[in-house]
Structure formats: C-alpha cells, structure tokens
C-alpha cells in the first residue's frame, strides 16, 4: 500500500498490464485499510460466497474473475474464476451455452462443479485451453474430450 506505484508496476510487469494494475492494487489496498482498519481479508471467510464476492467487487479494479481468484488461491474457497480459456472450453464442450455471459458463467459453473473439484477444474481447463482447445485451430483430433464435445460433434455433421 505504501510502495511507489512504479515499483509495484515493475514487480508485476511479467503478468501484463502492470501500469494499470499497479494503481488499482494500491487503491484497493487503501480501500481495505480504510474500511476494515487493517490489511486483512479473513473476515470474508465468515460470509457466504456471493456476499463475500460482492464485498471484494466494490474495490477498484476488482471484477468477478479477480474476486474469484482471491477466494480460490488465497482463501481456499470454491469460487471458480472464468477466464478466456475456461469460458471457451466450457462453451465448446456444451457445458454452458453460447448465450451465457462470462459473468453468468461463474455462477453456472460453480453450481455444476463439486466444491472439491473447483481448483483442478479451473487449472486444467486453462491448461487444456492453452495446449489443445486453442482459440484458433483447436486440436480436436488429438483431444481426449472429443467424444464428449458438442463443438466436435457439430463439426462432424
Ligand atoms: S474436441 Fe476440440 S473443441 Fe472440443 S474440447 Fe477438444 S479441442 Fe476443444
């Protein structure tokens, strides 16, 4: 919170958009300190997931995906961040339909995936989206999921 914004940007540069994120991180930490009196989020563990996520989303730069990442990776709660890979793979497989927005996909997928599977689901869908179910030219013929996949079936018609 007290670090220079340029120092923060330099530290997180490899993640991309470092300049933008640096300012928001600083602002968000300032908000947490102002609202809670100290820099900790453990109180969120006492709230239902949706309520806790809404609290985080009122912070600068925090949307549903970021809030879900905080829960999954820092607070170890079964929130399912839907990034571009998770969203694409879930739609192609037919788990969610094309009318489901990214925002709605968070709750929809969380309702379908058992809590203990949320972490591996998130991590493995990202890996699958990067390596096999790529945005351009998905490697469907090599894909272990092609027997279950709506996109693959439709392509065979
Ligand atoms: S079969 Fe193709 S579209 Fe379906 S999950 Fe595999 S790579 Fe993606």
């Amino acid at each position: 919170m007290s670090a220079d914004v340029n120092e923060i940007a330099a530290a997180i540069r490899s993640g991309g958009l470092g300049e933008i994120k640096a300012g928001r991180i600083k602002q968000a930490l300032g908000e947490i300190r102002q609202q809670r009196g100290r820099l900790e989020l453990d109180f969120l563990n006492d709230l239902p997931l949706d309520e806790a996520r809404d609290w985080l989303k009122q912070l600068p730069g925090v949307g549903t995906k970021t809030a879900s990442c905080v829960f999954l990776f820092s607070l170890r709660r079964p929130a399912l961040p839907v990034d571009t890979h998770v969203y694409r793979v879930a739609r192609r497989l037919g788990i969610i339909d094309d009318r489901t927005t990214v925002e709605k996909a968070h709750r929809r997928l969380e309702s379908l995936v058992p809590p203990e599977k949320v972490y591996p689901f998130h991590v493995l869908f990202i890996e699958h989206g990067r390596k096999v179910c790529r945005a351009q030219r998905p490697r469907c013929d090599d894909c272990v999921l092609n027997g279950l996949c709506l996109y693959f079936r439709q392509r065979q018609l």
Side-chain angles (χ1 to χ4, degrees), residues 92-93 128 132-133 138 140 143 146 149 151-152:
R92 283 180 175 166
L93 284 168
H128 191 64
V132 183
C133 193
C140 297
C143 178
N146 62 19
C149 180
Y151 178 95
F152 184 74

Side-chain angles (χ1 to χ4, degrees), residues 12 15 26 49 54 56 64 77 92-93 96 101 124 153:
I12 63 172
K26 207 169 154 67
L49 189 56
D54 285 344
L56 275 185
T64 304
R77 293 186 67 180
R92 283 180 175 166
L93 284 168
I96 52 175
T101 61
L124 293 173
R153 276 203 303 278

Side-chain angles (χ1 to χ4, degrees), residues 80 82 86-87 90-91 96 100-112:
L80 206 165
V82 178
V86 174
Y87 188 54
R91 273 185 310 148
I96 52 175
T100 306
T101 61
V102 180
E103 188 69 23
K104 287 191 176 146
H106 284 81
R107 292 228 173 89
R108 178 75 187 126
L109 290 174
E110 277 168 12
S111 75
L112 294 172

Side-chain angles (χ1 to χ4, degrees), residues 22-125:
R24 288 184 180 159
I25 287 170
K26 207 169 154 67
Q27 286 175 342
L29 292 173
E31 278 291 325
I32 294 169
R33 172 75 167 273
Q34 193 181 353
Q35 292 188 36
R36 301 293 309 170
R38 58 196 178 121
L39 288 174
E40 61 86 21
L41 294 173
D42 288 350
F43 75 97
L44 293 175
N45 278 327
D46 298 329
L47 300 177
L49 189 56
D50 281 343
E51 204 178 313
R53 192 157 36 199
D54 285 344
W55 191 92
L56 275 185
K57 284 166 64 180
Q58 47 93 29
L59 298 173
V62 179
T64 304
K65 187 186 82 173
T66 301
S68 300
C69 284
V70 171
F71 285 119
L72 187 63
F73 295 109
S74 295
L75 299 174
R76 300 284 168 191
R77 293 186 67 180
L80 206 165
V82 178
D83 76 342
T84 183
H85 299 294
V86 174
Y87 188 54
R88 180 179 64 259
V89 176
R91 273 185 310 148
R92 283 180 175 166
L93 284 168
I95 299 172
I96 52 175
D97 65 36
D98 285 341
R99 288 164 303 172
T100 306
T101 61
V102 180
E103 188 69 23
K104 287 191 176 146
H106 284 81
R107 292 228 173 89
R108 178 75 187 126
L109 290 174
E110 277 168 12
S111 75
L112 294 172
V113 180
E116 70 279 10
K117 302 274 192 209
V118 164
Y119 183 90
F121 181 99
H122 173 74
V123 172
L124 293 173
F125 264 50

